[in-house]
Amino acid sequence: MAYFDAASAAPLHPVGRQALLAALDEGWADPARLYREGRRARLLLDAAREAAAEAVECRPDELVFTPSGTRAVHSGVEGALAGRRRVGSHLIVSAVEHSSVLHAAEVHEAGGGSVTEVAVDRTGAVDPAAYARALRPDTALACLQSANHEVGTVQPVAEVAEACRAAGVPLLVDAAQSLGWGPVAGDWSLLTASAHKWGGPSGVGLLVVRKGVRFAPQGPLDERESGRAAGFENIPAVVAAAASLRAVRAEAAEEAARLRDLTERIRTRVPASVPDVEVVGDPQRRLPGIVTFSCLFVDGETVLHELDRAGFSVSSGSSCTSSTLTPSHVLRAMGVLSEGNVRVSLPPGTESEDVERFLTVLPRVVAEVREKLGAPVAAGAAEHTAGGSGALVVDALGRRCPIPVIELAKVIGDVPVGGTVRVLADDEAARLDIPAWCEMRGQEYVGEEPADHGSAYVVRRLS
């Protein structure tokens, strides 16, 4: 089985495993106690904090361990907003932040605060100038991930941090995906991360608050972790997290170069071997191990199941893999195709042979899924010589992705050049995937119109 979902959780690093087992014997006592076992536990905790701080490039007393990366984000956002409540209650986030950040923003807005969501371009990157324009006199906090978890795009953190610093606004960076590859550049104020993303154990997060940043921990007071993370520290897991972070950093330069070669192989060969594919994310400014692509005319959940049967564990941002049947907020913000989305995130140590096998299996899997759904067999196959009326209506109400787009592709050739097709659909994914199909096929997306049920998506044939 080839595990290609390291962006969700990386396998436990061998060094982390060794540290965890050793710390189970040595680090079980209360580090706040003065007797021998407590002092031993305190030494382990302090050493882990120093190692993690060295990797982050911060002071040890600026870093605390939290029960998870999500908890680190929530505590960081809440504490920074509360610490600057006299300034105002305006929060800035990007449209592609991790859900933990966006959920914290929703809670803040529900409590009376205001939130500005900065848009991204088609590669998933923010424009630093857009962040600068979003800053206001009442801005209490800005948030920006270091790199995107779904498409791997690296964000211009240093430039955004410079704009925030000039305005006197702290910037919180979610570094969950990138910290294992290196420290985050720029003059940021707060940082969060999660150990299971770099090969540490789950249940350990990092929260860094730079000295001088106004911060007011929320919730009942607790004497542990500087009052910023309540509860008894999980010292064995913390020790393993720090040990694995140090280990992956030591290997990062060599492994990054190797994984970039493998992901570039996927980025290049998938569109060449699978028709109607859009590779998404920035082709240059991206993390080493993540490559994401979307396939027209396939059900993302079925593709993932078939790849699993073939021995590959991958992830997806497709609407069809979500219980809400709505597209990934990241793909939606980028304006790219969401149906048939596949995220391949290679863990360190991935073998070239596994990638080659994946590239051999994928075309067959996609072709079989398309055949089952009755999709066009190749780009342009449905665009035969037109001789019909100048307008058609496709009723795809009650039908989920990717059926509305398949039906559109089948009939676009039935209208003359300049004619239109109105697709009636009540699937949220159609709002994203029909414009994306037009972008890929060189047709004009006219827009969305209200309908008795769902919406009407109007497409004009250009070729």
Side-chain angles (χ1 to χ4, degrees), residues 11-226:
L12 186 61
H13 193 282
V15 171
R17 180 183 300 276
Q18 293 172 3
L20 178 64
L21 294 175
L24 286 172
D25 291 331
E26 298 291 331
W28 51 268
D30 187 346
R33 302 307 173 197
L34 300 179
Y35 42 70
R36 180 179 57 190
E37 293 85 358
R39 294 196 306 271
R40 187 181 299 140
R42 169 56 63 181
L43 286 173
L44 289 173
L45 180 59
D46 289 346
R49 196 184 315 278
E50 289 179 7
E54 181 181 2
V56 174
E57 296 188 351
C58 68
R59 292 170 40 155
D61 59 352
E62 294 175 331
L63 183 150
V64 299
F65 295 105
T66 64
S68 68
T70 296
R71 185 64 259 171
V73 165
H74 292 170
S75 296
V77 171
E78 293 167 355
L81 289 172
R84 285 174 49 83
R85 62 166 59 94
R86 292 185 179 181
V87 172
S89 60
H90 178 231
L91 172 65
I92 302 174
V93 300
S94 84
V96 293
E97 294 298 310
H98 188 269
S99 59
S100 60
V101 174
L102 298 183
H103 291 161
E106 291 172 0
V107 170
H108 175 63
E109 192 168 32
S114 60
V115 177
T116 294
E117 192 174 274
V118 178
V120 297
D121 62 20
R122 197 170 176 84
T123 71
V126 302
D127 179 2
Y131 257 81
R133 290 191 297 269
L135 293 166
R136 309 188 321 207
D138 65 336
T139 302
L141 177 67
C143 299
L144 179 64
Q145 59 189 191
S146 57
N148 187 258
H149 50 292
E150 288 194 25
V151 300
T153 297
V154 173
Q155 300 290 0
V157 172
E159 295 92 329
V160 171
E162 183 179 359
C164 290
R165 181 67 64 179
V169 174
L171 176 68
L172 183 151
V173 177
D174 171 16
Q177 288 297 335
S178 73
L179 192 60
W181 299 110
V184 177
D187 197 10
W188 46 266
S189 301
L190 302 97
L191 180 142
T192 63
S194 186
H196 73 278
K197 301 291 188 179
W198 67 66
S202 59
V204 179
L206 302 182
L207 170 60
V208 179
V209 182
R210 294 286 199 191
K211 291 296 181 184
V213 175
R214 292 186 177 277
F215 191 88
Q218 300 301 286
L221 294 177
D222 193 286
E223 70 277 6
R224 297 181 186 274
E225 293 300 296
S226 304

Side-chain angles (χ1 to χ4, degrees), residues 112-405:
S114 60
V115 177
T116 294
E117 192 174 274
V118 178
V120 297
D121 62 20
R122 197 170 176 84
T123 71
V126 302
D127 179 2
Y131 257 81
R133 290 191 297 269
L135 293 166
R136 309 188 321 207
D138 65 336
T139 302
L141 177 67
C143 299
L144 179 64
Q145 59 189 191
S146 57
N148 187 258
H149 50 292
E150 288 194 25
V151 300
T153 297
V154 173
Q155 300 290 0
V157 172
E159 295 92 329
V160 171
E162 183 179 359
C164 290
R165 181 67 64 179
V169 174
L171 176 68
L172 183 151
V173 177
D174 171 16
Q177 288 297 335
S178 73
L179 192 60
W181 299 110
V184 177
D187 197 10
W188 46 266
S189 301
L190 302 97
L191 180 142
T192 63
S194 186
H196 73 278
K197 301 291 188 179
W198 67 66
S202 59
V204 179
L206 302 182
L207 170 60
V208 179
V209 182
R210 294 286 199 191
K211 291 296 181 184
V213 175
R214 292 186 177 277
F215 191 88
Q218 300 301 286
L221 294 177
D222 193 286
E223 70 277 6
R224 297 181 186 274
E225 293 300 296
S226 304
R228 295 174 182 170
F232 196 102
E233 298 93 342
N234 185 347
I235 293 177
V238 163
V239 169
S244 59
L245 180 56
R246 174 176 286 179
V248 298
R249 280 291 190 83
E251 305 161 354
E254 180 178 352
E255 196 62 26
R258 204 177 65 83
L259 291 186
R260 283 190 190 281
D261 287 343
L262 293 178
T263 53
E264 188 59 35
R265 192 182 305 177
I266 297 172
R267 289 181 64 88
T268 302
R269 288 174 52 183
V270 166
S273 61
V274 182
D276 298 319
V277 165
E278 181 178 16
V279 181
V280 301
D282 194 294
Q284 302 298 328
R285 289 175 55 90
R286 58 185 174 85
L287 292 174
I290 297 179
V291 56
T292 305
F293 53 88
S294 299
C295 308
L296 271 175
F297 312 135
V298 298
D299 173 347
E301 187 174 59
T302 302
V303 170
L304 263 60
H305 283 320
E306 291 303 315
L307 286 172
D308 180 54
R309 286 161 57 90
F312 298 97
S313 300
V314 299
S315 185
S316 173
S318 169
S319 60
C320 294
T321 63
S322 168
S323 60
T324 61
L325 292 178
T326 58
S328 149
H329 71 278
V330 172
L331 301 178
R332 184 171 62 243
M334 293 168 62
V336 297
L337 185 69
S338 74
E339 65 183 60
N341 180 260
V342 176
R343 180 187 68 183
V344 176
S345 50
L346 307 178
T350 297
E351 298 290 343
S352 175
E353 292 79 5
D354 287 335
V355 172
E356 284 298 320
R357 190 164 62 88
F358 174 79
L359 290 169
T360 300
V361 168
L362 180 69
R364 173 181 59 78
V365 166
V366 174
E368 289 175 354
V369 174
R370 284 173 172 168
E371 184 179 5
K372 290 177 183 177
L373 292 172
V377 295
E383 298 184 14
H384 49 74
T385 302
S389 65
L392 282 177
V393 176
V394 172
D395 187 352
L397 292 170
R399 309 185 74 182
R400 299 300 179 188
C401 69
I403 300 302
V405 180

